[in-house]
């Protein structure tokens, strides 16, 4: 018993000695590290004061501090940054997808703001603004010399507030003023249309309007097609979509999945991780899906493509995606500013990180440049049996059967014509047509 106690005591004493020998240097290192940080902060203060007193031009203190903060964040990775109050406000507008404005799509031409098109049902539409109009001034302030972003900011403002824009229109001898009352404008994140029997969902960004736009677009296109029996499937076009809200990527993926993991995130600590799972319900009613991606498809786009690919719910077509596999958290700061900080990486359902690798398509399809067709080639394309003199007439088909064949031929020709404009999209339509030719999938 005495030996045991002594051994225990000896072990305790030894433990104290060892602990003191190890902990001592650790405390010293920590103190040295703190001293080094304070020295660096003193160095920063010295440089700041020297710039204020000796730089060739007078500087703004607040701008210097903001630049230093932004530089610190940008040194971490390409996606962390400081957002000034103005930048933070623009980011909130882009993620919410709505703002107080006029409702026009604009571009810049020779320094002036040119209207691409007014959005239906918006104040600009009601005021008679036309595509091709040039906006030369806003509330008497010329837009010449402003960037497009700066000019757009002039036109946005509080809902219900009046704005007067000066318009130059072809055919009108003089510029004229138009008074418009700003209203809430909702950006269209998803544009839907039907090509043949394929419903195309063009997703341009992931903001708070994305899932509602997607859901409504599917309903409208299915009704316009005359029901599900006239739909071959869906094409989700994510090309050149830079991403956006993680939550919207989850909602869009969930729209086509009944169960299983959509995406998981992992931070520096285990507690920083999260996992998102699909819920029952498939807006596509089990119809086949093709996802289009390219080098401009990033972040949230890659989450959707990766989730549908891993679950074998869609065929991914196009070229390798961008490879942004990190998640940024926007943290509000004083004075209405914010910082965008990379806080985790995301992983597809199979557990793969696509950081710097991207999503690899199931079928690689480049977007070729249109080739010129010679007259001989065009003439060869048009040569058929029906065009030969004295060829036999096909009298074995009824008028309804002939009509059906003509409809199918017209759809095929429309897809062929589309190849000249968008080869990747035409390829996706052909895939859906081929899948439907094989019959129902998964026993449906």
């Amino acid at each position: 018993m005495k030996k045991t106690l002594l051994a225990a005591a000896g072990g305790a004493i030894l433990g104290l000695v060892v602990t003191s020998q190890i902990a001592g240097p650790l405390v010293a290192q920590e103190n040295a590290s703190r001293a080094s940080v304070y020295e660096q902060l003193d160095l920063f203060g010295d440089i700041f004061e020297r710039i204020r007193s000796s730089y060739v031009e007078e500087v703004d203190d607040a701008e210097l501090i903001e630049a230093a903060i932004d530089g610190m964040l940008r040194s971490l990775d390409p996606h962390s940054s400081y957002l000034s109050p103005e930048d933070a406000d623009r980011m909130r507008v882009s993620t919410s997808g709505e703002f107080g404005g006029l409702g026009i799509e604009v571009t810049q031409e020779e320094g002036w703001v040119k209207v691409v098109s007014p959005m239906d049902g918006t104040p600009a539409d009601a005021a008679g603004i036309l595509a091709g109009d040039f906006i030369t001034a806003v509330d008497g302030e010329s837009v010449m010399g402003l960037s497009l972003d700066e000019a757009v900011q002039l036109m946005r403002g509080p809902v219900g507030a009046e704005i007067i824009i000066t318009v130059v229109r072809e055919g009108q001898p003089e510029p004229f003023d138009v008074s418009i009352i700003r209203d809430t404008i909702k950006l269209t994140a998803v544009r839907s249309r039907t090509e043949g029997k394929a419903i195309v969902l063009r997703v341009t960004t992931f903001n708070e309007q994305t899932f509602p736009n997607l859901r409504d677009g599917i309903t409208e296109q299915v009704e316009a097609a005359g029901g599900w029996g006239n739909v071959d499937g869906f094409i989700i076009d994510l090309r050149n979509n830079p991403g956006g809200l993680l939550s919207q990527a989850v909602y869009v993926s969930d729209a086509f999945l009944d169960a299983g993991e959509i995406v998981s995130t992992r931070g520096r600590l285990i507690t920083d991780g999260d996992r998102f799972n699909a819920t029952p319900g498939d807006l596509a009613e089990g119809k086949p899906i093709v996802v289009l991606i390219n080098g401009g498809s990033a972040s949230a786009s890659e989450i959707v493509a990766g989730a549908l690919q891993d679950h074998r719910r869609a065929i991914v077509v196009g070229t390798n995606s961008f490879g942004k596999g990190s998640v940024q958290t926007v943290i509000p700061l004083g004075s209405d500013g914010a910082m965008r900080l990379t806080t985790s990486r995301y992983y597809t359902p199979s557990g793969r990180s696509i950081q710097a690798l991207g999503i690899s398509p199931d079928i690689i399809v480049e977007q070729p440049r249109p080739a010129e067709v010679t007259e001989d080639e065009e003439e060869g394309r048009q040569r058929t049996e029906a065009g030969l003199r004295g060829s036999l007439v096909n009298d074995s088909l009824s008028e309804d059967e002939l009509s059906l064949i003509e409809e199918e031929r017209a759809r095929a020709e429309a897809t062929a014509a589309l190849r000249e404009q968008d080869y990747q999209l035409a390829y996706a339509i052909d895939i859906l047509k081929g899948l439907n030719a094989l019959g129902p999938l998964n026993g449906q």
Side-chain angles (χ1 to χ4, degrees), residues 125-136:
D125 184 34
I129 300 300
L130 303 177
D133 284 350
F134 284 90
I135 297 173
T136 60

Side-chain angles (χ1 to χ4, degrees), residues 194-380:
T194 299
E195 295 281 354
K197 286 189 173 183
I199 294 177
V200 181
L201 302 168
R202 171 74 179 118
V203 185
T204 57
T205 188
F206 286 86
N207 60 33
E208 291 175 8
Q209 311 302 321
T210 302
F211 177 71
N213 286 172
L214 181 91
R215 179 192 57 212
D216 296 344
I218 290 173
T219 301
E220 290 169 6
Q221 294 302 318
V222 171
E223 288 179 358
W228 287 100
N230 297 321
V231 175
D232 280 349
F234 293 83
I235 296 168
I236 304 174
D237 188 352
L238 299 175
R239 291 174 298 176
N240 298 318
N241 183 324
L245 296 176
L246 171 63
S247 59
Q248 289 295 315
V250 171
Y251 294 152
V252 170
S253 303
D254 192 9
F256 305 105
L257 295 172
D258 277 320
E261 183 180 302
I262 293 172
V263 65
S264 62
T265 62
R266 304 175 201 171
R268 187 165 65 181
L269 303 176
I270 296 177
T271 53
D272 293 337
D274 210 344
R275 197 175 298 273
F276 301 88
N277 295 310
T279 55
D282 179 2
L283 293 184
E285 296 286 340
K287 292 285 185 177
I289 298 171
V290 175
V291 175
L292 285 175
I293 60 171
N294 64 5
S297 306
S299 192
S301 297
E302 295 172 295
I303 289 174
V304 174
L308 298 183
Q309 185 182 55
D310 280 3
H311 283 284
R312 302 292 188 266
R313 182 63 188 91
I315 298 172
V316 179
V317 172
T319 55
N320 212 71
S321 66
F322 185 78
K324 181 182 176 293
S326 60
V327 179
Q328 283 67 48
T329 301
V330 177
I331 303 168
L333 301 173
S335 304
D336 295 326
M339 72 172 172
R340 185 192 288 115
L341 185 66
T342 300
T343 53
S344 60
R345 300 171 187 262
Y346 72 77
Y347 296 80
T348 69
S350 63
R352 57 181 168 145
S353 168
I354 55 87
Q355 176 60 29
L357 295 175
I359 297 290
S360 298
D362 298 308
I363 304 174
I364 296 176
V365 179
E366 300 280 353
Q367 189 78 290
R369 294 180 179 176
E372 294 185 5
V373 179
T374 65
E375 290 184 9
D376 290 342
E377 288 175 326
E378 185 63 32
E379 185 179 344

